[in-house]
Amino acid sequence: MTKCIGCKDKEASRLECPTCKKLGIPGSFFCEQECFKKNWGTHKQVHAFMQSLAAANASAVSSGVDAKGIPTSMSGFKWTGPTRPKYPLSATRVVPPHIVRPDYADHPQGECISEARGAHRNRVLNSTEIEAMRKVCRLTREVLDAIAAHIRPGVTSDELDAICHEECIKRDSYPSPLNYRCFPKSVCISVNEVICHGIPDQRPLVEGDIVNLDVSLYHGGFHGDVNATYPVGQVSEEDATLIATTKEATESAIAMCKPGVLYRDIGNKIESIVKPKGYGIVRQYTAHGINQLFHCAPYPVHYGGSKTPGKMEAGQIFTIEPMINGGVASLDHWRDNWTAVTKDGKKSAQFEETILITETGAEVLTRPGSVIKDGRIVDPVKA
Ligand code: MF3
Ligand code: CO
C-alpha cells in the first residue's frame, strides 16, 4: 500500500498536492482533505526546498567548465595528484516524498540542527533502538554491495550515484549524504588520492584506479554507515598492498571491541599495523557514534597516542573507519569544500563498519550475522 505522505499511516488516496503537481514533484498523495490541511504547514516546506534546489541546480549546471570539464571556479588550483573532477554535476536527485527524511534533508543550508543539539554524549541505545540499527545497517550493506557490483573501467561515479539513489529508494531509505551539510549527492565516492567525501561526477573510472564507496542510509529513524575500497580492474602491487593493509588494520581494531575497551585503543591498534609500512594515518577525520544522528559522540581517532576519552559500553554504537595514505598523513581540500585529497598526491584507502557493543563482545551491524567473540570476528558461514 502507498502511504499518505501527511500522516504517514493511512493509505494514500488520489488526492494529490496541487502545488507539488505544478512543480513536478511526484508522489505527493494524501489520505484525505483533512489530513492535507493538518499537515500543510510542514508539507509546504517541501515546495520551498525543491524550488531552492532547482535554483541551485541551474547555477551548478550553467557555471563554467573548461575543455576538460574542470569547473572554472577551480582554475589555478594546485592539484596534489593526477585526479581531476569532471563537471557539470548531474541534477540533484529527488527522494520521493513517502520516504521519511532526516531533518537536514529539507534545510536550505543542509544544516543539521539535531546534531548541533545532541551529538556530544556517548549514548547507550535501548533494545528497540538497537533492532532499528540492525535493520538500517543491513540495508546499508546491501546497497554498498549493489553499487560495488557495477565497478569497472568506464563507469562514472555519477552513474554509481544514480544506482545508490535507486537502491536506497527501493529499500524505503533516504541516502544520508544527500544535503547533509549541503553535500550534493547520495553517496561519497573517493578515487585514488581522494581520501574521503568525493563528489560523484562525470569522470569515468580507469583501469588501475582504486575507488572507495561510502554508503549511508536513513531508515526507520536511524542511520547506517559502511564503506570499502575496491580495485578497478588490475591495480599495481603497491596499491593492492595499501588496500589490504587498510583492511587488515580496520579488521584488527574491530576485533578488539567489547565492553571496557578504551576508545583510544582503536587508534593504537591501527597505528601498530600501518606504521611499519610507512603509511600516513589521516588525523582530521575521525570515527563517530551513529544512531538517530548521522554523526555524534564518541569520536574515536584512528592514530595512536591520543587522549580520546571513554570506554566501550554495551548498547553503544559507533563506526571504525581509518583513512590510510600511501604517503604523508596531511591533506588538502579541492575548491568544492568537500573533496579531501592527500597533500603529496599519493593514493589513500579506507574501510568502515558500524559496530554495536554487546554484553559479551560486539556485533558488526553492517555485516549481518558477524559477531566479535574473544577478540576475533566470527563471520556467519555462507550457505
Ligand atoms: N559517510 C561519511 C562517514 O563515514 C560521512 C559523509 S558526510 C557527507 O562518516 F556529507 F559527505 F556525506
Ligand atoms: Co562514518
Side-chain angles (χ1 to χ4, degrees), residues 84-95:
R84 300 287 179 274
K86 193 166 181 203
Y87 280 44
L89 298 182
S90 59
T92 304
R93 298 194 156 83
V94 174
V95 179

Side-chain angles (χ1 to χ4, degrees), residues 177 180 183 188 197 214 216 225 227 288 294-295 321 338 352:
Y180 179 77
F183 190 82
C188 295
H197 302 164
D214 191 345
S216 318
D225 201 1
N227 81 50
H288 53 94
F294 192 2
H295 300 101
E321 50 178 309
W338 274 108
E352 171 177 35

